[in-house]
Amino acid sequence: MKKLLAITAIAAATVGVHAQEFPGSKPISIVVPFSAGGPTDRVARDLAEALRKPLGGISIVIDNVPGAGSSIGAAKVARANPDGYTLLLNHIGMSTIPTLVRNVPFKVETDFEYLGIVNDVPMTLIAKPTMAANNYKELSAWIAANKGKINLGNAGIGSASHLCGLLYQSAMKTEMTAVPYKGTAPAITDLIGGQIDLLCDQTTNTSPQIEAKKVKAYAVTTSKRLTTPLLKNLPTLQEEGLKDFEVTIWHGLYAPKGTPPAIAKKLNDALKVALKDPEFIKKQEGLGAVVASDGRVEPEGHKKFVAAEIAKWSPIIKAAGVYAD
């Protein structure tokens, strides 16, 4: 027993020393469970730059590990050494993994340390440029008149556009033919070309196409209208009669379960500094994102928020019966 207590004491002391030394010279890796060049990847790279200063100038690298509704990258972090040097940046997919992936090898609720929400990205409902409808009222009438013949694109199962599409069909009580692509770029290309009818995607992806008038925009998915000049005249879907319809693509930062509290606190403290960095805020606003500044930047607020999102998305995914594995 004495030997066991001694070993435990040594282990605890070792963890304490490592926590005091963190961050050392070893680079931090932020795993992004999506391909390079996408919106989540861009957020991660901006965040990495903003985190470097409050973490003493440490090198931060991005590790893209896409696949299976973001669960492959998340699993890599769940299995990682809980020393603060391997983190996960995931979007709303963190709340859909428990339902979307039936054989997920980890538990979202218990296998991670929650470090804080980073931002919220609004979404827009857009259509092919040849769509006859000139406003949402006319689009709604077109949808009613074309039931069973509507193609709704998405960037792949588990993507932001897939989730928004599921919620939109549920709210409209209308089934549409889902057309999954390997990323947002090919989905938007086919939308512009008229191969698909509709797409619901993040402002980070849709704003350039709306500004160039390559697509038609009808509504935003936030509870209030946006204030950006390009999108300020678009109504919300709630305004147009879809009660409680709200989708924002939020991003959160996570560490493996068992990360020492002192290290988790250092990471959360650094995150809160990064979220107030004027350059980071400017970059996020340029992507159409709103940097988090509420209680969700605290670990407990982040965790409660994800639990609520899991409860929101689970019945919608189950009703659709489409899974990522």
Side-chain angles (χ1 to χ4, degrees):
M1 178 60 75
K2 288 181 179 179
K3 187 179 289 186
L4 179 60
L5 290 173
I7 292 171
T8 302
I10 291 169
T14 302
V15 168
V17 169
H18 287 320
Q20 287 176 0
E21 291 176 349
F22 181 86
S25 58
K26 180 181 175 181
I28 290 176
S29 173
I30 297 181
V31 173
V32 175
F34 302 99
S35 300
T40 300
D41 179 72
R42 281 187 280 176
V43 171
R45 292 177 192 277
D46 289 346
L47 181 64
E49 187 59 34
L51 282 171
R52 286 184 71 250
K53 188 174 181 180
L55 288 174
I58 192 170
S59 176
I60 302 177
V61 297
I62 303 301
D63 181 12
N64 297 97
V65 187
S70 79
S71 65
I72 295 176
K76 181 175 181 177
V77 176
R79 296 191 302 264
N81 186 14
D83 57 4
Y85 290 99
T86 304
L87 307 177
L88 170 70
L89 183 82
N90 200 0
H91 69 11
I92 193 172
M94 201 66 170
S95 66
T96 62
I97 286 173
T99 312
L100 194 65
V101 184
R102 290 166 294 185
N103 297 308
V104 64
F106 57 85
K107 292 187 180 299
V108 167
E109 301 94 326
T110 57
D111 288 348
F112 297 90
E113 302 294 344
Y114 288 66
L115 300 176
I117 291 292
V118 175
N119 67 9
D120 295 284
V121 184
M123 303 191 79
T124 43
L125 180 64
I126 59 176
K128 59 187 179 184
T130 55
M131 178 66 70
N134 293 311
N135 53 52
Y136 185 78
K137 184 177 181 181
E138 291 180 5
L139 178 67
S140 183
W142 180 86
I143 290 172
N146 287 275
K147 287 185 177 181
K149 298 183 288 184
I150 301 169
N151 292 321
L152 176 66
N154 66 62
I157 294 175
S159 66
S161 49
H162 174 231
L163 299 172
C164 185
L166 288 179
L167 187 61
Y168 186 62
Q169 291 179 79
S170 175
M172 292 290 288
K173 297 181 172 56
T174 302
E175 285 191 19
M176 302 177 189
T177 301
V179 183
Y181 291 83
K182 292 182 178 179
T184 300
I188 288 182
T189 297
D190 272 10
L191 184 72
I192 292 170
Q195 280 76 43
I196 55 175
D197 303 308
L198 300 172
L199 179 69
C200 181
D201 210 342
Q202 301 172 69
T203 53
T204 48
N205 296 319
T206 62
S207 291
Q209 314 305 328
I210 295 170
E211 188 171 22
K213 301 188 186 311
K214 292 182 177 180
V215 298
K216 285 192 171 184
Y218 292 95
V220 294
T221 63
T222 47
S223 59
K224 297 179 181 178
R225 289 198 182 201
L226 303 180
T227 57
T228 54
L230 179 66
L231 305 173
K232 66 180 183 180
N233 292 324
L234 289 180
T236 69
L237 285 170
Q238 288 190 26
E239 278 182 63
E240 297 295 342
L242 299 188
K243 187 180 178 183
D244 298 327
F245 192 104
E246 183 176 4
V247 183
T248 56
I249 303 305
W250 45 268
H251 293 85
L253 192 65
Y254 309 81
K257 185 68 177 178
T259 299
I263 291 178
K265 185 178 187 308
K266 285 185 178 182
L267 289 166
N268 175 253
D269 288 345
L271 175 63
K272 286 187 281 192
V273 171
L275 297 183
K276 294 178 181 177
D277 184 307
E279 187 61 26
F280 178 71
I281 293 171
K282 182 179 177 181
K283 287 179 179 178
Q284 294 307 290
E285 288 176 344
L287 295 174
V290 178
V291 174
S293 60
D294 56 13
R296 297 173 303 158
V297 302
E298 299 291 347
E300 191 58 34
H302 180 188
K303 191 169 186 177
K304 286 181 179 178
F305 175 70
V306 173
E309 288 284 279
I310 290 172
K312 171 182 175 178
W313 287 104
S314 179
I316 294 167
I317 294 168
K318 286 178 179 178
V322 178
Y323 302 96
D325 60 347

